[in-house]
Amino acid sequence: MRILVNHHLLLLLSLLPLSAFSEENTTSSYLIPRPLIFETQQLKNIDDNVNLLHCTSWRFAAETNNLAPWKTIPVECADYVKDYLMGKGYVFDVERVSEEAKIYASSFESNGDGKDVWIFDIDETLLSNLPYYLEHGCGLEVFNHSKFDKWVEKGIAPAIAPSLKLYQMVQDMGYKVILLTGRRENHRVVTVENLRNAGFHNWDKLILRSMDDDHKTATIYKSEKRDEMVNEGYRIRGNSGDQWSDLLGFAMSERSFKLPNPMYFIP
C-alpha cells in the first residue's frame, strides 16, 4: 500500500527541535517554536515595506516624467509624500539640484555683453507653497485655482533656501535673471512683494501669464516666451523649474535643472 507523504508536514517537523518530542516536554510538545509563528507586527512591517517601495517607485516615475498626465497622488502614498516633503529627503534633493546648477553656471565666463540668461520658475522653484499644500493633502486634492489664488494673494510663501543661494550666485556671476511663471498678470504686485520679502531682488524681468496666454498649456506658453528671448539675442544658459513644462518644448535652455515636486503635475 502506498503511503501519501505530506511534504509540508515533513518540512515543519524537520524544523522542530528534538526536545519537542522528549518526555520532559510532553506538556508543551504540541507548541510550534516561536520563530515559525507569523506575528501581526511582522506582517504589518512587510506591508509597510511594500507600500514604501510602491510609493518610492511612483515618485521616481513622476519626477522622471514617465507617468501619464496625473491629477492627484495615489491615496496610499499620502503619508509617504508628506513625510518626504517634511523630511531631509526633499531638502537633500533640492540642495543637490542647486549644487549641480552652481557647478554648471560656473563653467561659463561672461563676455560682458549682458546676453547670458538664467530662467527661474517661481512656485516650488523659488517660493515654497508647502504651507498651502499641507492643508490640502499634499497632492491628494485636485488642483483648485480659486483656493490657490487666495493663498497666492496672502503673499507669504517662504523662499526655498538652496534656490535663493543659486539665484544670488548667478546674479553675482553676471547672468541676467528672468523669472518666468505661470502666475497670472493680476498677481504681479503681490508676487513682487512676496519675492522681495523672501529675499529675491534685482531680477531683470518678471514674466506672468497675460489673458492672451491663458488658454495655452504651460509648455507652449513658456516655450514661446523663451523663443522671444532667443530672438532678442539672449543665450539661455540655464533654466530651473519644478515642472517638466517649465523646461521642455522649444527654445530650450542649454541646460535644465528639475527640482523635485511630487505634489502636482502641470502639462
Side-chain angles (χ1 to χ4, degrees):
M1 180 175 64
R2 297 178 64 184
I3 299 176
L4 298 177
V5 179
N6 188 318
H7 295 285
H8 295 292
L9 178 59
L10 287 177
L11 175 62
L12 177 61
L13 292 175
S14 70
L15 295 172
L16 294 173
L18 293 176
S19 59
F21 299 97
S22 68
E23 293 183 1
E24 295 178 0
N25 288 286
T26 54
T27 58
S28 60
S29 61
Y30 60 88
L31 296 178
I32 297 176
R34 186 170 180 80
L36 295 179
I37 298 175
F38 289 95
E39 298 181 357
T40 302
Q41 185 60 43
Q42 290 173 317
L43 292 174
K44 181 179 183 300
N45 290 341
I46 292 173
D47 289 341
D48 288 345
N49 288 336
V50 170
N51 191 65
L52 175 63
L53 291 172
H54 163 67
C55 293
T56 300
S57 176
W58 177 87
R59 183 171 68 85
F60 176 82
E63 296 292 6
T64 53
N65 205 27
N66 287 331
L67 291 181
W70 51 278
K71 293 185 177 180
T72 61
I73 66 173
V75 174
E76 65 273 18
C77 296
D79 289 339
Y80 169 87
V81 170
K82 180 179 178 180
D83 290 345
Y84 167 74
L85 292 167
M86 296 295 291
K88 292 183 178 180
Y90 175 73
V91 174
F92 286 169
D93 286 346
V94 173
E95 287 178 345
R96 171 68 67 183
V97 175
S98 179
E99 287 304 313
E100 293 301 320
K102 288 178 183 177
I103 293 171
Y104 173 75
S106 300
S107 66
F108 294 97
E109 290 187 11
S110 175
N111 60 13
D113 65 358
K115 293 295 185 178
D116 291 323
V117 167
W118 199 287
I119 298 174
F120 288 95
D121 171 53
I122 292 181
D123 294 302
E124 271 60 68
T125 299
L126 296 183
L127 298 178
S128 171
N129 298 300
L130 188 55
Y132 168 83
Y133 283 103
L134 286 172
E135 295 183 359
H136 295 275
C138 290
L140 274 178
E141 295 182 11
V142 175
F143 182 76
N144 185 299
H145 269 294
S146 297
K147 290 181 180 179
F148 185 72
D149 285 351
K150 290 179 181 178
W151 158 256
V152 169
E153 287 158 8
K154 293 180 180 180
I156 57 175
I160 296 176
S163 293
L164 177 56
K165 291 179 181 178
L166 173 63
Y167 176 95
Q168 294 169 336
M169 193 202 82
V170 297
Q171 279 186 325
D172 291 343
M173 294 182 63
Y175 287 90
K176 283 191 177 298
V177 169
I178 297 179
L179 309 185
L180 177 54
T181 176
R183 291 188 177 196
R184 294 185 174 93
E185 185 63 43
N186 63 324
H187 285 140
R188 177 175 292 274
V189 173
V190 70
T191 298
V192 168
E193 182 180 354
N194 195 161
L195 285 165
R196 287 175 176 165
N197 289 341
F200 299 96
H201 302 282
N202 303 320
W203 55 83
D204 292 277
K205 194 171 186 179
L206 170 59
I207 303 172
L208 297 96
R209 271 186 187 263
S210 67
M211 293 295 292
D212 292 337
D213 299 317
D214 215 31
H215 66 285
K216 301 171 183 175
T217 65
T219 303
I220 295 299
Y221 155 65
K222 294 199 170 187
S223 292
E224 289 179 349
K225 296 303 179 184
R226 291 195 303 267
D227 195 44
E228 291 175 10
M229 299 175 206
V230 172
N231 290 334
E232 291 172 7
Y234 289 106
R235 296 179 293 271
I236 306 176
R237 298 296 195 185
N239 186 5
S240 297
D242 67 291
Q243 297 291 315
W244 285 104
S245 53
D246 298 329
L247 312 172
L248 299 180
F250 53 91
M252 292 170 57
S253 60
E254 295 178 16
R255 181 83 183 271
S256 298
F257 294 89
K258 169 73 169 65
L259 283 81
N261 183 356
M263 297 184 293
Y264 59 85
F265 172 85
I266 299 176

